[in-house]
């Protein structure tokens, strides 16, 4: 998700929607940077979880100033 979907959204005009399938997604390179308008939609809060990097103790998403990000149907830990 880090290198492809968010990078693709940044390169397009207007708001984008990123669909995240069910599963547990462990971050290993820090938080996910959101710097363009985006909706990130999981398969359900009980079935899609994005887990922050335990070594860095950072937030899961780093949303830029003035950026609209909608996170729905997913859990973060």
């Amino acid at each position: 998700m880090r290198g492809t979907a968010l990078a693709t959204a940044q390169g397009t005009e207007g708001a984008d929607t990123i669909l995240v399938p069910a599963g547990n997604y462990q971050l290993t390179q820090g938080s996910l940077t959101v710097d363009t308008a985006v909706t990130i939609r999981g398969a359900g809060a009980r079935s899609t979880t994005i887990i922050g990097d335990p070594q860095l103790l950072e937030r899961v998403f780093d949303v830029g100033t003035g950026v609209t990000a909608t996170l729905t149907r997913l859990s973060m830990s």
Side-chain angles (χ1 to χ4, degrees):
M1 191 163 109
R2 177 192 223 19
T4 56
L6 287 171
T8 300
Q10 182 181 14
T12 62
E13 282 191 38
D16 290 289
T17 299
I18 297 171
L19 302 177
V20 183
N24 294 320
Y25 299 91
Q26 174 73 59
L27 301 181
T28 59
Q29 297 177 355
S31 60
L32 296 169
T33 300
V34 179
D35 50 11
T36 187
V38 68
T39 295
I40 300 174
R41 181 179 304 131
R46 292 184 180 176
S47 58
T48 303
T49 304
I50 302 174
I51 305 162
D53 188 334
Q55 299 297 318
L56 300 177
L57 300 174
E58 291 184 345
R59 58 187 65 143
V60 174
F61 290 96
D62 186 14
V63 180
T65 303
V67 173
T68 300
T70 302
L71 308 172
T72 183
R73 300 181 50 82
L74 58 85
S75 297
M76 296 173 277
S77 66

